Coordinates of all heavy atoms in Angstrom, one line a residue:
M1 N 0.8 -1.2 0.0 CA 0.0 0.0 0.0 C 0.9 1.2 0.0 O 1.9 1.3 0.7 CB -0.9 0.0 1.3 CG -1.8 1.2 1.3 SD -2.8 1.2 2.8 CE -3.9 -0.2 2.4
R2 N 0.5 2.2 -0.8 CA 1.3 3.4 -0.9 C 0.9 4.4 0.2 O -0.3 4.4 0.6 CB 1.1 4.0 -2.3 CG 1.8 3.2 -3.4 CD 1.6 3.6 -4.8 NE 1.4 5.0 -4.9 CZ 0.8 5.6 -5.9 NH1 0.2 4.9 -6.8 NH2 0.7 6.9 -6.0
Y3 N 1.7 5.3 0.5 CA 1.5 6.3 1.6 C 0.3 7.2 1.2 O -0.6 7.5 2.0 CB 2.7 7.2 1.8 CG 2.5 8.3 2.7 CD1 2.3 8.1 4.1 CD2 2.5 9.6 2.3 CE1 2.1 9.1 5.0 CE2 2.3 10.7 3.2 CZ 2.1 10.4 4.5 OH 1.9 11.4 5.4
Q4 N 0.2 7.6 -0.1 CA -1.0 8.4 -0.5 C -2.3 7.7 -0.3 O -3.3 8.4 0.0 CB -0.8 8.9 -2.0 CG 0.4 9.8 -2.2 CD 0.1 11.1 -1.4 OE1 -1.0 11.6 -1.2 NE2 1.2 11.8 -1.0
D5 N -2.3 6.4 -0.5 CA -3.6 5.7 -0.3 C -3.9 5.6 1.1 O -5.1 5.6 1.5 CB -3.4 4.3 -0.9 CG -3.2 4.3 -2.4 OD1 -3.7 5.3 -3.1 OD2 -2.6 3.4 -2.9
F6 N -2.9 5.4 2.0 CA -3.1 5.3 3.4 C -3.6 6.6 4.0 O -4.5 6.6 4.9 CB -1.7 4.9 4.0 CG -1.9 4.2 5.3 CD1 -2.6 3.0 5.4 CD2 -1.2 4.7 6.5 CE1 -2.7 2.4 6.6 CE2 -1.3 4.0 7.7 CZ -2.0 2.8 7.8
R7 N -3.2 7.7 3.5 CA -3.7 9.0 4.0 C -5.1 9.3 3.7 O -5.7 10.1 4.4 CB -2.8 10.2 3.4 CG -1.4 10.2 3.9 CD -0.8 11.5 3.5 NE -1.4 12.6 4.1 CZ -1.1 13.9 3.8 NH1 -0.1 14.1 3.0 NH2 -1.7 14.9 4.4
K8 N -5.7 8.6 2.8 CA -7.1 8.9 2.4 C -8.1 8.1 3.3 O -9.3 8.2 3.2 CB -7.4 8.5 1.0 CG -6.6 9.3 0.0 CD -6.8 8.8 -1.4 CE -6.0 9.6 -2.4 NZ -6.0 9.1 -3.7
K9 N -7.6 7.3 4.2 CA -8.4 6.5 5.1 C -8.8 7.2 6.4 O -8.0 7.9 7.0 CB -7.7 5.2 5.5 CG -7.4 4.3 4.3 CD -6.8 3.0 4.7 CE -6.4 2.2 3.5 NZ -7.5 1.7 2.8
E10 N -10.1 7.1 6.7 CA -10.6 7.7 7.9 C -10.3 6.9 9.1 O -10.5 5.7 9.1 CB -12.1 7.9 7.8 CG -12.8 8.7 8.9 CD -14.2 8.9 8.7 OE1 -14.8 8.3 7.8 OE2 -14.8 9.8 9.4
V11 N -9.9 7.5 10.2 CA -9.6 6.8 11.4 C -10.7 6.8 12.4 O -11.2 7.9 12.7 CB -8.3 7.3 12.1 CG1 -7.9 6.6 13.4 CG2 -7.1 7.3 11.1
I12 N -11.2 5.7 12.9 CA -12.4 5.6 13.8 C -12.0 4.9 15.0 O -11.4 3.8 15.0 CB -13.6 4.9 13.1 CG1 -13.9 5.7 11.8 CG2 -14.7 4.8 14.0 CD1 -14.9 5.0 10.9
N13 N -12.3 5.5 16.2 CA -12.1 4.9 17.5 C -13.2 4.0 17.8 O -14.4 4.4 17.9 CB -12.0 6.0 18.6 CG -11.6 5.5 19.9 OD1 -11.8 4.3 20.2 ND2 -11.0 6.3 20.7
I14 N -13.0 2.7 17.9 CA -14.1 1.7 18.1 C -14.6 1.8 19.5 O -15.8 1.3 19.8 CB -13.6 0.3 17.8 CG1 -12.5 -0.2 18.7 CG2 -13.3 0.2 16.3 CD1 -12.2 -1.7 18.5
Q15 N -13.9 2.4 20.5 CA -14.4 2.5 21.8 C -15.5 3.5 21.9 O -16.5 3.4 22.7 CB -13.3 2.8 22.8 CG -12.3 1.7 23.0 CD -11.1 2.1 23.8 OE1 -11.0 3.3 24.2 NE2 -10.3 1.1 24.2
T16 N -15.4 4.6 21.2 CA -16.4 5.7 21.2 C -17.2 5.8 20.0 O -18.2 6.4 20.0 CB -15.7 7.1 21.4 OG1 -14.8 7.3 20.3 CG2 -14.9 7.1 22.7
G17 N -16.7 5.2 18.9 CA -17.4 5.3 17.6 C -17.2 6.6 16.9 O -17.8 6.9 15.9
K18 N -16.3 7.4 17.5 CA -16.0 8.8 16.9 C -15.0 8.7 15.9 O -14.0 8.0 16.0 CB -15.6 9.7 18.1 CG -15.3 11.1 17.7 CD -14.8 11.9 18.9 CE -14.3 13.2 18.5 NZ -13.7 14.0 19.5
S19 N -15.2 9.5 14.8 CA -14.2 9.7 13.8 C -13.1 10.6 14.3 O -13.3 11.7 14.8 CB -14.8 10.3 12.5 OG -13.8 10.6 11.6
L20 N -11.8 10.2 14.2 CA -10.7 11.0 14.6 C -10.1 11.8 13.5 O -9.3 12.7 13.8 CB -9.6 10.1 15.2 CG -10.1 9.2 16.4 CD1 -8.9 8.2 16.8 CD2 -10.5 10.0 17.6
G21 N -10.5 11.6 12.3 CA -10.0 12.3 11.2 C -9.3 11.4 10.2 O -9.4 10.2 10.2
Y22 N -8.4 12.0 9.4 CA -7.6 11.3 8.4 C -6.2 11.3 8.8 O -5.7 12.2 9.5 CB -7.8 11.9 7.1 CG -9.2 11.7 6.5 CD1 -10.2 12.6 6.9 CD2 -9.5 10.6 5.7 CE1 -11.5 12.4 6.4 CE2 -10.8 10.4 5.3 CZ -11.8 11.3 5.6 OH -13.1 11.1 5.1
I23 N -5.4 10.3 8.4 CA -4.0 10.1 8.8 C -3.2 11.3 8.2 O -3.3 11.6 7.0 CB -3.5 8.8 8.3 CG1 -4.3 7.6 9.0 CG2 -2.0 8.6 8.5 CD1 -4.0 6.3 8.3
Q24 N -2.4 11.9 9.1 CA -1.5 13.0 8.7 C -0.1 12.5 8.4 O 0.6 13.0 7.5 CB -1.6 14.1 9.7 CG -0.7 15.3 9.4 CD -0.6 16.3 10.4 OE1 -0.9 16.0 11.6 NE2 -0.3 17.5 10.1
D25 N 0.4 11.6 9.3 CA 1.8 11.2 9.2 C 1.9 9.8 9.7 O 1.0 9.3 10.4 CB 2.6 12.1 10.1 CG 4.1 12.1 9.7 OD1 4.4 11.5 8.7 OD2 4.9 12.8 10.4
I26 N 3.0 9.1 9.4 CA 3.3 7.8 9.8 C 4.7 7.8 10.4 O 5.6 8.3 9.8 CB 3.2 6.8 8.6 CG1 1.8 6.8 8.0 CG2 3.6 5.4 9.0 CD1 1.7 6.0 6.7
E27 N 4.9 7.1 11.5 CA 6.2 6.9 12.1 C 6.7 5.5 11.8 O 6.0 4.6 11.9 CB 6.1 7.1 13.7 CG 5.9 8.5 14.1 CD 5.9 8.5 15.7 OE1 6.4 7.6 16.3 OE2 5.4 9.5 16.2
F28 N 8.0 5.5 11.4 CA 8.6 4.2 11.0 C 9.7 3.9 12.0 O 10.4 4.9 12.5 CB 9.2 4.3 9.6 CG 8.1 4.3 8.6 CD1 7.8 5.5 8.0 CD2 7.6 3.2 8.1 CE1 6.8 5.6 7.0 CE2 6.6 3.2 7.1 CZ 6.2 4.4 6.6
E29 N 10.0 2.7 12.2 CA 11.2 2.3 13.0 C 12.4 2.3 12.0 O 12.3 1.8 10.9 CB 11.0 0.9 13.5 CG 12.1 0.5 14.5 CD 11.8 -0.9 15.1 OE1 10.7 -1.1 15.5 OE2 12.8 -1.7 15.1
E30 N 13.4 3.0 12.5 CA 14.6 3.2 11.6 C 15.3 1.9 11.1 O 15.6 1.8 10.0 CB 15.7 4.0 12.4 CG 15.8 5.4 11.9 CD 16.9 6.1 12.7 OE1 18.1 5.9 12.4 OE2 16.5 7.0 13.5
K31 N 15.5 1.0 12.0 CA 16.2 -0.2 11.6 C 15.5 -1.2 10.7 O 16.0 -1.7 9.8 CB 16.7 -0.9 12.9 CG 17.7 -0.2 13.7 CD 18.1 -0.9 15.0 CE 19.0 0.0 15.8 NZ 19.4 -0.7 17.0
T32 N 14.2 -1.4 11.0 CA 13.4 -2.4 10.3 C 12.5 -1.8 9.2 O 12.1 -2.5 8.3 CB 12.5 -3.2 11.2 OG1 11.6 -2.3 11.8 CG2 13.3 -3.8 12.3
G33 N 12.2 -0.5 9.3 CA 11.3 0.1 8.3 C 9.9 -0.2 8.6 O 9.0 0.1 7.7
C34 N 9.5 -0.8 9.7 CA 8.2 -1.1 10.0 C 7.4 0.1 10.6 O 8.0 1.0 11.2 CB 8.1 -2.2 11.1 SG 8.8 -3.8 10.4
I35 N 6.1 0.1 10.4 CA 5.3 1.2 11.0 C 5.2 1.1 12.5 O 4.9 0.0 13.0 CB 3.9 1.2 10.3 CG1 4.0 1.5 8.8 CG2 3.0 2.2 11.0 CD1 2.6 1.4 8.1
C36 N 5.5 2.2 13.2 CA 5.4 2.2 14.7 C 4.1 2.8 15.1 O 3.5 2.4 16.0 CB 6.5 3.1 15.3 SG 8.2 2.4 15.0
A37 N 3.7 3.9 14.4 CA 2.5 4.6 14.8 C 2.0 5.5 13.7 O 2.7 5.7 12.7 CB 2.8 5.5 16.0
I38 N 0.7 5.9 13.8 CA 0.1 6.8 12.8 C -0.3 8.1 13.6 O -0.6 8.0 14.8 CB -1.1 6.2 12.0 CG1 -2.2 5.8 13.0 CG2 -0.6 5.1 11.1 CD1 -3.4 5.3 12.3
I39 N -0.2 9.2 13.0 CA -0.6 10.5 13.6 C -1.8 11.0 12.9 O -1.9 11.1 11.7 CB 0.6 11.5 13.4 CG1 1.9 10.9 13.9 CG2 0.2 12.8 14.1 CD1 2.0 10.6 15.4
V40 N -2.8 11.4 13.7 CA -4.0 12.0 13.2 C -4.1 13.4 13.8 O -4.0 13.5 15.0 CB -5.3 11.1 13.7 CG1 -6.5 11.7 13.2 CG2 -5.1 9.7 13.2
P41 N -4.3 14.4 13.0 CA -4.3 15.8 13.5 C -5.6 16.0 14.3 O -6.6 15.3 14.1 CB -4.3 16.6 12.2 CG -4.9 15.8 11.2 CD -4.5 14.3 11.5
G42 N -5.5 17.1 15.1 CA -6.7 17.5 15.8 C -7.7 18.1 14.8 O -7.5 18.2 13.6
D43 N -8.8 18.6 15.4 CA -9.9 19.2 14.5 C -9.6 20.6 14.1 O -10.3 21.2 13.3 CB -11.2 19.1 15.2 CG -11.3 19.8 16.5 OD1 -10.4 20.5 16.9 OD2 -12.3 19.6 17.2
G44 N -8.5 21.2 14.6 CA -8.1 22.5 14.1 C -8.8 23.6 14.9 O -8.6 24.8 14.6
K45 N -9.7 23.3 15.8 CA -10.4 24.3 16.6 C -9.5 24.8 17.7 O -8.6 24.1 18.2 CB -11.7 23.8 17.2 CG -12.7 23.4 16.2 CD -13.9 22.8 16.8 CE -14.9 22.3 15.8 NZ -16.0 21.6 16.4
W46 N -9.7 26.1 18.1 CA -9.0 26.6 19.2 C -9.9 26.5 20.5 O -11.1 26.8 20.5 CB -8.7 28.1 19.0 CG -7.8 28.3 17.8 CD1 -8.1 28.4 16.5 CD2 -6.3 28.4 17.9 NE1 -6.9 28.5 15.8 CE2 -5.9 28.6 16.6 CE3 -5.4 28.4 19.0 CZ2 -4.5 28.7 16.3 CZ3 -4.1 28.6 18.7 CH2 -3.7 28.7 17.4
N47 N -9.3 26.1 21.6 CA -10.0 26.1 22.8 C -9.9 27.4 23.6 O -9.3 28.4 23.1 CB -9.6 24.9 23.7 CG -8.2 25.0 24.2 OD1 -7.6 26.0 24.2 ND2 -7.6 23.9 24.7
F48 N -10.5 27.4 24.8 CA -10.6 28.6 25.6 C -9.2 29.3 25.9 O -9.1 30.5 26.0 CB -11.3 28.3 26.9 CG -11.5 29.5 27.8 CD1 -12.4 30.5 27.5 CD2 -10.7 29.6 29.0 CE1 -12.5 31.6 28.3 CE2 -10.8 30.7 29.8 CZ -11.8 31.7 29.5
F49 N -8.2 28.5 26.0 CA -6.9 29.0 26.4 C -6.0 29.2 25.2 O -4.8 29.3 25.3 CB -6.2 28.0 27.3 CG -6.9 27.8 28.6 CD1 -7.6 26.7 28.8 CD2 -6.9 28.8 29.6 CE1 -8.3 26.5 30.0 CE2 -7.5 28.6 30.8 CZ -8.3 27.5 31.0
C50 N -6.6 29.3 24.0 CA -5.9 29.7 22.7 C -4.9 28.6 22.3 O -3.9 28.9 21.7 CB -5.2 31.0 22.8 SG -6.3 32.3 23.1
F51 N -5.2 27.3 22.6 CA -4.4 26.2 22.1 C -5.2 25.5 21.1 O -6.4 25.3 21.2 CB -4.1 25.2 23.3 CG -3.2 25.7 24.3 CD1 -3.6 26.1 25.5 CD2 -1.8 25.8 24.0 CE1 -2.8 26.6 26.5 CE2 -0.9 26.3 25.0 CZ -1.4 26.7 26.2
K52 N -4.5 25.1 20.0 CA -5.2 24.3 19.0 C -5.4 22.9 19.6 O -4.6 22.4 20.4 CB -4.3 24.2 17.8 CG -4.8 25.0 16.6 CD -4.1 24.7 15.4 CE -4.9 25.4 14.3 NZ -4.2 25.2 13.0
E53 N -6.5 22.3 19.3 CA -6.8 21.0 19.8 C -5.7 20.0 19.3 O -5.4 20.0 18.1 CB -8.2 20.5 19.3 CG -9.3 21.2 19.9 CD -9.4 21.0 21.4 OE1 -9.2 19.8 21.9 OE2 -9.7 21.9 22.1
A54 N -5.2 19.2 20.2 CA -4.1 18.3 19.9 C -4.6 17.1 19.0 O -5.8 16.7 19.2 CB -3.5 17.8 21.1
G55 N -3.8 16.6 18.2 CA -4.1 15.4 17.5 C -3.8 14.2 18.3 O -3.7 14.4 19.6
C56 N -3.7 13.1 17.7 CA -3.4 11.9 18.5 C -2.4 11.0 17.8 O -2.3 11.0 16.6 CB -4.6 11.2 19.0 SG -5.6 10.6 17.7
R57 N -1.6 10.3 18.6 CA -0.7 9.3 18.1 C -1.2 7.9 18.4 O -1.5 7.6 19.6 CB 0.7 9.5 18.8 CG 1.8 8.6 18.3 CD 3.1 9.0 19.1 NE 4.1 8.2 18.6 CZ 4.4 7.0 19.1 NH1 3.7 6.4 20.1 NH2 5.5 6.3 18.6
I58 N -1.3 7.1 17.4 CA -1.9 5.8 17.6 C -0.8 4.7 17.3 O -0.3 4.6 16.2 CB -3.1 5.5 16.7 CG1 -4.2 6.6 17.0 CG2 -3.7 4.2 16.8 CD1 -5.1 6.9 15.8
E59 N -0.5 4.0 18.3 CA 0.5 2.9 18.2 C 0.0 1.9 17.2 O -1.2 1.6 17.2 CB 0.8 2.3 19.6 CG 1.5 3.2 20.6 CD 2.9 3.5 20.3 OE1 3.6 2.6 19.6 OE2 3.4 4.5 20.7
Y60 N 0.9 1.2 16.5 CA 0.6 0.2 15.6 C -0.2 -0.9 16.2 O -1.1 -1.5 15.6 CB 1.8 -0.3 14.8 CG 1.5 -1.3 13.7 CD1 1.0 -0.8 12.5 CD2 1.6 -2.6 13.9 CE1 0.6 -1.6 11.5 CE2 1.2 -3.5 12.8 CZ 0.8 -3.0 11.6 OH 0.4 -3.8 10.6
G61 N 0.1 -1.3 17.4 CA -0.6 -2.4 18.2 C -2.0 -2.0 18.5 O -2.8 -2.9 18.7
N62 N -2.4 -0.8 18.4 CA -3.8 -0.4 18.7 C -4.6 -0.3 17.5 O -5.8 0.0 17.5 CB -3.8 1.0 19.4 CG -3.3 0.9 20.8 OD1 -3.5 -0.1 21.5 ND2 -2.7 2.0 21.3
I63 N -4.1 -0.6 16.3 CA -4.8 -0.6 15.1 C -5.5 -2.0 15.0 O -4.9 -3.0 15.1 CB -4.0 -0.4 13.8 CG1 -3.4 1.0 13.9 CG2 -4.8 -0.6 12.6 CD1 -2.4 1.2 12.8
V64 N -6.8 -2.0 15.0 CA -7.6 -3.2 15.0 C -7.8 -3.8 13.6 O -7.6 -4.9 13.3 CB -9.0 -3.0 15.6 CG1 -9.9 -4.2 15.5 CG2 -8.9 -2.5 17.0
R65 N -8.2 -2.9 12.6 CA -8.4 -3.3 11.2 C -8.2 -2.2 10.3 O -8.5 -1.0 10.6 CB -9.8 -3.8 11.1 CG -10.2 -4.3 9.7 CD -11.5 -4.9 9.7 NE -11.8 -5.4 8.4 CZ -11.6 -6.7 8.0 NH1 -11.1 -7.6 8.8 NH2 -12.0 -7.1 6.8
I66 N -7.6 -2.5 9.1 CA -7.4 -1.5 8.1 C -8.3 -2.0 6.9 O -8.1 -3.0 6.3 CB -5.9 -1.5 7.6 CG1 -5.1 -1.0 8.8 CG2 -5.8 -0.5 6.4 CD1 -3.6 -1.0 8.5
G67 N -9.4 -1.2 6.7 CA -10.3 -1.5 5.7 C -10.1 -0.7 4.4 O -9.1 0.0 4.3
P68 N -11.0 -0.9 3.4 CA -10.8 -0.1 2.1 C -10.9 1.4 2.3 O -10.2 2.1 1.6 CB -11.9 -0.7 1.2 CG -12.9 -1.3 2.2 CD -12.1 -1.7 3.4
D69 N -11.7 1.9 3.2 CA -11.9 3.3 3.4 C -11.6 3.8 4.8 O -11.8 5.0 5.1 CB -13.4 3.7 3.1 CG -13.7 3.3 1.7 OD1 -12.9 3.4 0.8 OD2 -14.9 3.0 1.4
F70 N -11.3 2.9 5.7 CA -11.2 3.3 7.1 C -10.1 2.5 7.8 O -9.6 1.5 7.3 CB -12.5 3.0 7.8 CG -12.9 1.6 7.7 CD1 -12.4 0.6 8.6 CD2 -13.8 1.2 6.7 CE1 -12.8 -0.7 8.5 CE2 -14.1 -0.2 6.6 CZ -13.7 -1.1 7.5
V71 N -9.7 3.0 9.0 CA -8.8 2.4 9.9 C -9.5 2.4 11.3 O -9.8 3.4 11.8 CB -7.4 3.1 10.0 CG1 -6.5 2.4 11.0 CG2 -6.7 3.1 8.7
L72 N -9.7 1.2 11.8 CA -10.3 1.1 13.2 C -9.2 1.0 14.2 O -8.3 0.1 14.1 CB -11.3 -0.1 13.2 CG -12.4 -0.2 12.3 CD1 -13.2 -1.5 12.4 CD2 -13.3 1.0 12.5
V73 N -9.3 1.8 15.3 CA -8.3 1.8 16.3 C -9.0 1.6 17.7 O -10.1 1.9 17.9 CB -7.5 3.1 16.3 CG1 -6.7 3.2 15.0 CG2 -8.3 4.3 16.5
N74 N -8.2 1.1 18.6 CA -8.7 0.8 20.0 C -8.6 2.1 20.9 O -9.5 2.3 21.6 CB -7.8 -0.3 20.7 CG -8.6 -1.5 20.8 OD1 -9.9 -1.5 20.8 ND2 -8.0 -2.6 21.0
S75 N -7.5 2.8 20.8 CA -7.4 4.0 21.7 C -6.5 5.0 21.0 O -5.9 4.7 20.0 CB -6.7 3.6 23.0 OG -5.4 3.1 22.8
C76 N -6.5 6.2 21.6 CA -5.8 7.3 21.0 C -5.1 8.1 22.1 O -5.8 8.5 23.0 CB -6.8 8.2 20.2 SG -6.1 9.7 19.6
E77 N -3.8 8.2 22.0 CA -3.1 9.0 23.1 C -2.9 10.4 22.5 O -2.4 10.6 21.4 CB -1.8 8.3 23.5 CG -0.6 9.0 23.1 CD 0.7 8.1 23.4 OE1 0.5 6.9 23.6 OE2 1.7 8.6 23.3
P78 N -3.2 11.5 23.2 CA -3.1 12.8 22.7 C -1.6 13.2 22.4 O -0.7 12.7 23.2 CB -3.6 13.7 23.8 CG -4.4 12.8 24.7 CD -3.8 11.4 24.6
C79 N -1.4 13.9 21.4 CA 0.0 14.4 21.1 C 0.3 15.5 22.0 O -0.6 16.2 22.5 CB 0.0 14.9 19.6 SG -0.1 13.6 18.4
K80 N 1.6 15.7 22.3 CA 2.0 16.8 23.1 C 2.1 18.0 22.2 O 2.7 18.0 21.1 CB 3.4 16.5 23.6 CG 3.5 15.2 24.4 CD 3.4 15.4 25.8 CE 3.7 14.2 26.6 NZ 2.8 13.2 26.7
T81 N 1.5 19.1 22.6 CA 1.5 20.3 21.8 C 2.3 21.4 22.6 O 2.3 21.4 23.8 CB 0.1 20.8 21.5 OG1 -0.6 21.0 22.8 CG2 -0.7 19.9 20.7
K82 N 3.0 22.2 21.8 CA 3.7 23.3 22.4 C 2.8 24.5 22.7 O 1.9 24.7 21.9 CB 4.9 23.7 21.6 CG 6.0 22.6 21.4 CD 7.1 23.1 20.6 CE 8.2 22.0 20.5 NZ 9.3 22.4 19.7
R83 N 3.1 25.2 23.7 CA 2.3 26.4 23.9 C 2.7 27.5 22.9 O 3.8 27.7 22.6 CB 2.7 26.9 25.3 CG 1.9 28.1 25.7 CD 2.3 28.5 27.2 NE 1.5 29.6 27.5 CZ 1.8 30.4 28.5 NH1 2.8 30.1 29.3 NH2 1.1 31.5 28.8
P84 N 1.6 28.1 22.3 CA 1.9 29.1 21.3 C 2.6 30.3 21.9 O 2.4 30.6 23.1 CB 0.5 29.4 20.7 CG -0.4 29.0 21.8 CD 0.2 27.9 22.6
E85 N 3.4 31.0 21.1 CA 4.1 32.2 21.6 C 3.1 33.3 21.8 O 2.2 33.4 21.0 CB 5.2 32.6 20.6 CG 6.3 31.6 20.5 CD 7.4 32.1 19.6 OE1 7.5 33.3 19.4 OE2 8.1 31.2 19.1
L86 N 3.3 34.1 22.8 CA 2.4 35.2 23.1 C 2.9 36.4 22.3 O 4.1 36.6 22.0 CB 2.4 35.5 24.6 CG 2.0 34.4 25.5 CD1 2.2 34.8 26.9 CD2 0.5 34.1 25.2
W87 N 2.0 37.2 21.9 CA 2.3 38.4 21.1 C 2.8 39.5 21.9 O 2.5 39.8 23.0 CB 1.1 38.9 20.3 CG 0.6 37.9 19.3 CD1 1.1 37.6 18.1 CD2 -0.4 36.9 19.5 NE1 0.5 36.6 17.5 CE2 -0.4 36.1 18.3 CE3 -1.3 36.6 20.5 CZ2 -1.3 35.1 18.1 CZ3 -2.2 35.5 20.3 CH2 -2.2 34.8 19.2

């Protein structure tokens, strides 16, 4: 499967049934070239404290199924976001 095809798949959390979005990036292990995790961006909204909603990093072991249009995952750990600079 090519990277471009993988990015078109919607990621769905099977615990909540919520769509997490589409894959933004993939982490690979340097030595073996195997996929370690996928990164799904946040929804792009700003919360009360002026932080963009964090995306999530999904370990490869938490991927339940990769279908033709979707990726089903067990859990999602929030990505660490940096505090935006103040003006």
Side-chain angles (χ1 to χ4, degrees):
M1 179 178 295
R2 293 176 27 206
Y3 175 70
Q4 290 298 331
D5 298 332
F6 205 54
R7 287 189 66 183
K8 296 176 185 175
K9 295 183 185 293
E10 184 176 16
V11 180
I12 300 171
N13 186 336
I14 61 171
Q15 294 174 348
T16 62
K18 181 181 173 187
S19 172
L20 302 174
Y22 292 85
I23 297 170
Q24 179 183 24
D25 201 5
I26 301 173
E27 287 184 16
F28 292 96
E29 188 175 317
E30 251 182 75
K31 294 179 182 179
T32 63
C34 294
I35 296 174
C36 294
I38 58 175
I39 308 295
V40 179
D43 58 9
K45 295 179 183 174
W46 293 85
N47 67 16
F48 180 73
F49 298 104
C50 297
F51 291 104
K52 254 191 171 177
E53 290 295 322
C56 58
R57 180 179 184 274
I58 302 158
E59 295 286 334
Y60 186 77
N62 289 331
I63 296 174
V64 177
R65 182 172 180 95
I66 300 174
D69 299 328
F70 58 86
V71 177
L72 298 178
V73 298
N74 250 339
S75 66
C76 174
E77 112 189 12
C79 289
K80 308 260 190 282
T81 57
K82 294 182 180 178
R83 183 176 178 197
E85 293 184 25
L86 300 175
W87 295 279

